[in-house]
Structures are given as C-alpha cells and as structure tokens.
Amino acid sequence: MDTSALTRLAALKRMSVNELKAEWEALFATPAPNNSRGYLELRIGYRIQELMLGGLSRETRRTLDLLADEIDGKSDRKAIVADARNPVVGTRLVREWGGVEHTVTVMKDGFDWQGRKFKSLSAAARAITGTQWNGYRFFGLARGAR
C-alpha cells in the first residue's frame, strides 16, 4: 500500500465526526448513514483500501450473495462454500485416537468415516472422540499445525 493511502487511513483517527461524514460523502456519493465514529472510521478505512488495492474477488462476492440470499430466504439452493483448508476430494485423513487408527475420506459434499457421512470435519472428529473438537485441528489441518 502506498504512503498516500496510509496517510489517509491515519488521518481518519484525527477527524471529527463531521469531517468523517464529509469524507463518507466524497467516497460513497451518499450521505453518511449515522453518527457512529467507529462505524464511519471502519467503513471509510475499508473503502480507501478497496479503492487502492481492489475489492473482493468475483467468486467471494458471488459466495456472499448466495449466503445472503439463503439467510433472507430468497434462495432454495444451499450455497456450497469450500473451505480452503479442505484437502482435495478423495484425500484420506488418518488420525490415531484411543489406540485405534481412524481414517476419514474427503468427499465432494462432506466427509466419510466408517461408512457414515458428515457435513463437517468437526462432526467426524466428535463421532470419533465423543467430545467437541475443531476438526481441522484434530486432523492437523489448522494453520500453523506441524
């Protein structure tokens, strides 16, 4: 990010609410929706970065729109949101638990363990252990896992 964007972002903290509202109008071409300093700073800061670095990818916007439609009840179709931590379909995840080796297979629409299908890796880990687990951490897929 260039210094002009950083300077603009830093300046937001020193602006009054009226100055933030004026900055909002300049960036969004609409009146500011409220007088919340925190809200205005965050949204304006995001907009400055969006203009300098580019916005969300087309795929991310599409996924968010599908999820919003699903929440609003405008869509019968469930959005399939792929988690970047998921290995490719067909991958077998192996973990020893309680002296027994457990294998979970990554499917297109979930996970298979002993012929049982799970929507999430956490549900599979819960079935294996009997306790609540983050499935990615249980199988060593969480960020920073060794």
Side-chain angles (χ1 to χ4, degrees):
M1 191 176 323
D2 67 16
T3 56
S4 65
L6 293 173
T7 303
R8 287 182 72 186
L9 292 171
L12 295 176
K13 291 289 183 195
R14 296 186 303 273
M15 289 182 178
S16 69
V17 171
N18 286 334
E19 290 170 325
L20 287 169
K21 290 172 83 172
E23 184 72 14
W24 179 284
E25 289 188 30
L27 289 169
F28 293 97
T30 63
N34 62 44
N35 291 327
S36 168
R37 173 179 202 69
Y39 176 81
L40 294 172
E41 283 180 12
L42 286 172
R43 270 307 277 125
I44 292 169
Y46 181 87
R47 182 68 176 148
I48 290 169
Q49 292 176 77
E50 180 181 42
L51 292 171
M52 298 299 274
L53 303 172
L56 299 173
S57 70
R58 183 179 322 153
E59 182 61 27
T60 299
R61 285 193 314 271
R62 182 182 153 286
T63 300
L64 291 172
D65 287 341
L66 285 170
L67 290 170
D69 287 348
E70 184 179 324
I71 289 169
D72 291 342
K74 295 179 183 175
S75 175
D76 296 338
R77 193 176 79 176
K78 298 279 186 196
I80 298 173
V81 180
D83 191 317
R85 297 172 294 182
N86 283 351
V88 296
V89 172
T91 300
R92 295 174 53 166
L93 304 171
V94 180
R95 167 75 196 266
E96 183 180 327
W97 182 262
V100 177
E101 188 175 274
H102 297 275
T103 302
V104 171
T105 304
V106 179
M107 312 285 283
K108 180 179 179 183
D109 54 351
F111 302 90
D112 178 82
W113 173 66
Q114 295 183 343
R116 294 172 54 195
K117 188 172 175 185
F118 298 92
K119 289 185 179 182
S120 72
L121 202 49
S122 295
R126 187 178 325 96
I128 291 168
T129 66
T131 60
Q132 197 73 12
W133 268 91
N134 175 304
Y136 296 102
R137 180 166 288 159
F138 181 77
F139 286 100
L141 300 175
R143 286 191 182 133
R146 294 177 187 197

